[in-house]
Amino acid sequence: MTVRQPQWDLACFSYLAHAQVSHVTRYPEANQGAEVTRTFSSLAGDGPIIAQDCAARGLRTALVANQIGNDPTGRHTRQYLDTVGVHYRAGPSSAPRRTPHLTVITDDAGTRTWFADLTHAYASLHQADTSPIEQTRLAYIDGYMVIADAAAGALLAAAGAGVPVLLNLGGDRLHPKLHQAARQAHVFAVQTSLPEFQAPDADDTARSLLTELGAHAAVVTVGALGAVAVTRTTTHQIPARKVDVVHTHGAGAAFSAALAAAHLDGHDLPTALHRAGEAGTTHCTTVPGTDASTPERTAS
């Protein structure tokens, strides 16, 4: 009997948008301004960033996401995904006139604020082609509250195909529909984040998610303080190196990408976690445009 090999190593589910990231020395007061010292373009949300990162590592990678526009930004984004080797074919929903986009502002204090135009992205995710999730070795699924309904469908697709899942909540609460769907799936790991001032809660948060979802591992990142991961038998502390931070956009995605890649390479959980922590730290020290960010351009 011939066993059919999965078509993909990793299939990522999330919304897809263009992000323009600008940096200022510090945020201005109300009704005041600040000079932009650096700007670069990127993908959003986490799933597309992880897809491009893992494709760069040589993994066969697919992206399950919403439609993007036929405007210059959308055409550039499609071309970029093709260039880096990410398979992306949107579902049957009509393309929006304008590609969904984020404007992200960061400062020297590590603050990151974003302004999102993603309505069409959320709506059309329900019609995304989820077949790559059923034909992959590992599914990465963003479980943000705003896309929880569609993410629950992606989880059920993985569950039906017996595909393990790396589920990212992105700091959001666990939506009831996502909870129900995740209990039917094999969750290799669930990941979320807490702000640094809530670091003392990281262990309890991880244990709560582990119990709620029946996951193999639960991981909580806490910015510059590193991460905590728990399984049913062990607790892992993943420290972060002290570095000069250039930017933090996509740091959580860099962590997730390295975690997924290490797992697919057959490494044990402690090794995968430490590789993920190092990848997240290194990402924050890299000059944008020389790492996984998209080539710099102006959003249209």
Side-chain angles (χ1 to χ4, degrees), residues 8 26 49 70 86 88 94 112 118 142 150 154-155 163 177 189 216 219 224 243 254 259 265 274 283 295-296:
W8 309 107
R26 67 177 186 175
I49 299 174
N70 289 320
V86 173
Y88 162 68
S94 59
R112 178 174 173 268
L118 300 172
D142 277 328
L155 271 167
V163 172
K177 288 187 177 181
H216 170 67
V219 185
V243 296
L259 180 63
D265 283 344
H274 282 283
H283 178 86
E296 186 171 322

Side-chain angles (χ1 to χ4, degrees), residues 11-13 133 139-143 151-152 154-155 158 165-169 178:
C12 297
F13 174 90
I133 293 174
Y140 169 91
I141 297 175
D142 277 328
L155 271 167
V165 173
L166 171 54
L167 175 64
N168 174 38
L169 302 179
L178 206 62

Side-chain angles (χ1 to χ4, degrees), residues 148-153 155-156 174-184:
D149 282 355
L155 271 167
L156 291 175
L174 180 64
H175 191 282
K177 288 187 177 181
L178 206 62
H179 183 196
Q180 184 178 12
R183 292 294 297 186
Q184 300 179 52

Side-chain angles (χ1 to χ4, degrees), residues 6 23-24 31 34 67 100 125-126 159 193 204 214 224 237 254 256 272:
H23 185 84
V24 298
N31 299 316
Q67 282 273 17
L125 263 177
H126 289 280
S193 62
D204 287 343
Q237 299 285 340
S256 300

